[in-house]
Amino acid sequence: MKKEIKETATEQKIILELIQYNEKEFNVYENLSADELLAKQKPDQVNWINLDGLWDTTIINKIAEHFSLHSLLVEDISTDQQPKVEEYDDYLFFSLKMLYRIERTVIDYEQISFVLGKNFLISFQEKEGDLFGPLRDRIRLDQGRIRKQKADYLLYRLIDIIVDNYYIVLDSIGQQIEQIEDDIYKDSTGHEFRKIQRLKKELIYLRKALYPLRDAMNKLVKDDSGFVNSSNARFFSDVYSHVAHLIDSLDTYKDLTSGLMDIYINTLNTRMNEVMKVLTIISTIFIPLTFIVGVYGMNFDFMPELHWKYGYLVVWGMMFLLVVVMFWFFKYKKKWF
């Protein structure tokens, strides 16, 4: 069976598997060639064919030839695109983004495509690993209703798992927004600014993934081609509601991220004002002192104070008094510090 947690590896491998079941039987086929695996299909059972790795076009072409998949559909499977649903005569095509997690404001994701037929479902994934491990176990152990349902219900469960994981990613974004806000108030640096910028880019990506997904789910709910059983339409409608709720949360986080940028800029301005205030106080205090020193530093012979016995001490006393008065004025009168 497939690993539930994705692993990054320098050498990616291709995994082709067939999960076959009905209410009474269950079989899993792995480590078979495409021809051998396709020959194992049974029309009286649900046949879930899953392919991890899209760089071997030979396998994709064999699957496409076996199920008479349209050439444009095959091209859509292999190219990055927005979520969408398309109806054909003998099957239904559905693609969306599968999000795994967000680490350091960067979302780990891949595109996944489904082809739904009367008694089969084909899933095409870019990489090894997915979110469907628990669902495979439920099918194997005959838990819940899935073994009693057709391929369209399997499609619903897979899409539902993917959409539910969007909540985890969005919650993580919300936690990062709170952490960045705390960091800004503690010590605002350029590091927080870069985090905000990366978060904004990821939110834009999520927007491009969720809005078309809502349209695709709406089209799937209203599907009248017969690929989705009318009794299961309510399940797809529930997923549509989840996507709509995710979009609302996404818009909220987008506003919060924009607010973070305002907080960051305001914090920088406030700190700059504090620095300018300190420099202004220091400059203001030293302006009269500089004037006094400048006056008595002039080289004139006829300056009475220069020949006075206590002139030096009086000038020092006057400068000290000026500093005290101005310090009292800024601190207690103006309350600048």
Side-chain angles (χ1 to χ4, degrees), residues 139-200:
I139 297 174
R140 177 175 56 86
L141 299 173
D142 192 15
Q143 296 176 340
R145 67 172 71 191
I146 190 165
R147 290 268 291 271
K148 304 175 182 62
Q149 298 286 337
K150 300 298 181 182
D152 60 327
Y153 185 80
L154 174 61
L155 175 63
Y156 149 70
R157 291 300 303 270
L158 296 175
I159 296 175
D160 186 55
I161 291 171
I162 294 171
V163 170
D164 283 346
N165 211 58
Y166 275 61
Y167 282 101
I168 297 176
V169 173
L170 277 178
D171 287 343
S172 179
I173 289 177
Q175 294 172 7
Q176 291 196 32
I177 290 174
E178 292 178 1
Q179 184 61 49
I180 292 174
E181 184 175 2
D182 292 339
D183 293 342
I184 289 174
Y185 284 122
K186 288 178 183 177
D187 185 18
S188 180
T189 63
H191 185 57
E192 281 74 33
F193 176 79
R194 289 189 291 272
K195 281 185 177 180
I196 295 171
Q197 290 299 100
R198 287 197 295 265
L199 267 183
K200 290 180 71 174

Side-chain angles (χ1 to χ4, degrees), residues 285 288-289 292 312-328:
I285 289 175
L289 302 183
I292 294 173
Y312 176 75
L313 294 177
V314 170
V315 170
W316 266 108
M318 183 171 55
M319 289 192 296
F320 178 77
L321 182 62
L322 273 173
V323 171
V324 171
V325 171
M326 296 180 74
F327 180 87
W328 173 86

Side-chain angles (χ1 to χ4, degrees), residues 46 95 101 180 182 229 264:
V46 174
S95 69
R101 63 188 68 84
I180 292 174
D182 292 339
N229 194 295
Y264 176 79

Side-chain angles (χ1 to χ4, degrees), residues 237-278:
S237 179
D238 182 63
V239 177
Y240 172 82
S241 300
H242 290 170
V243 174
H245 182 262
L246 284 168
I247 289 175
D248 292 338
S249 300
L250 177 66
D251 291 339
T252 299
Y253 288 139
K254 180 176 177 293
D255 293 338
L256 289 174
T257 305
S258 299
L260 276 184
M261 187 60 71
D262 294 337
I263 293 173
Y264 176 79
I265 294 173
N266 290 336
T267 303
L268 286 184
N269 290 336
T270 300
R271 291 181 179 177
M272 182 62 69
N273 290 337
E274 291 296 326
V275 172
M276 294 303 298
K277 186 187 296 183
V278 172

Side-chain angles (χ1 to χ4, degrees), residues 56-166:
D56 190 340
T57 57
T58 303
I59 296 178
I60 298 176
N61 290 334
K62 285 184 178 181
I63 295 174
E65 183 180 355
H66 182 85
F67 291 98
S68 301
L69 302 184
H70 197 282
S71 58
L72 292 177
L73 186 151
V74 176
E75 183 180 346
D76 288 341
I77 290 171
S78 305
T79 56
D80 189 55
Q81 58 181 313
Q82 292 183 341
K84 68 176 182 177
V85 58
E86 291 181 345
E87 297 177 6
Y88 294 86
D89 293 336
D90 299 321
Y91 46 82
L92 186 76
F93 175 72
F94 189 94
S95 69
L96 71 161
K97 306 297 183 184
M98 181 159 60
L99 310 185
Y100 290 95
R101 63 188 68 84
I102 179 168
E103 296 178 348
R104 297 180 180 179
T105 67
V106 177
I107 296 176
D108 181 18
Y109 72 94
E110 68 172 303
Q111 178 171 293
I112 182 169
S113 303
F114 298 103
V115 178
L116 172 66
K118 293 299 182 183
N119 63 343
F120 68 86
L121 178 68
I122 313 172
S123 53
F124 298 91
Q125 302 184 50
E126 295 177 344
K127 307 171 185 177
E128 178 189 1
D130 55 32
L131 306 169
F132 308 137
L135 180 64
R136 291 185 177 89
D137 293 336
R138 290 181 68 85
I139 297 174
R140 177 175 56 86
L141 299 173
D142 192 15
Q143 296 176 340
R145 67 172 71 191
I146 190 165
R147 290 268 291 271
K148 304 175 182 62
Q149 298 286 337
K150 300 298 181 182
D152 60 327
Y153 185 80
L154 174 61
L155 175 63
Y156 149 70
R157 291 300 303 270
L158 296 175
I159 296 175
D160 186 55
I161 291 171
I162 294 171
V163 170
D164 283 346
N165 211 58
Y166 275 61

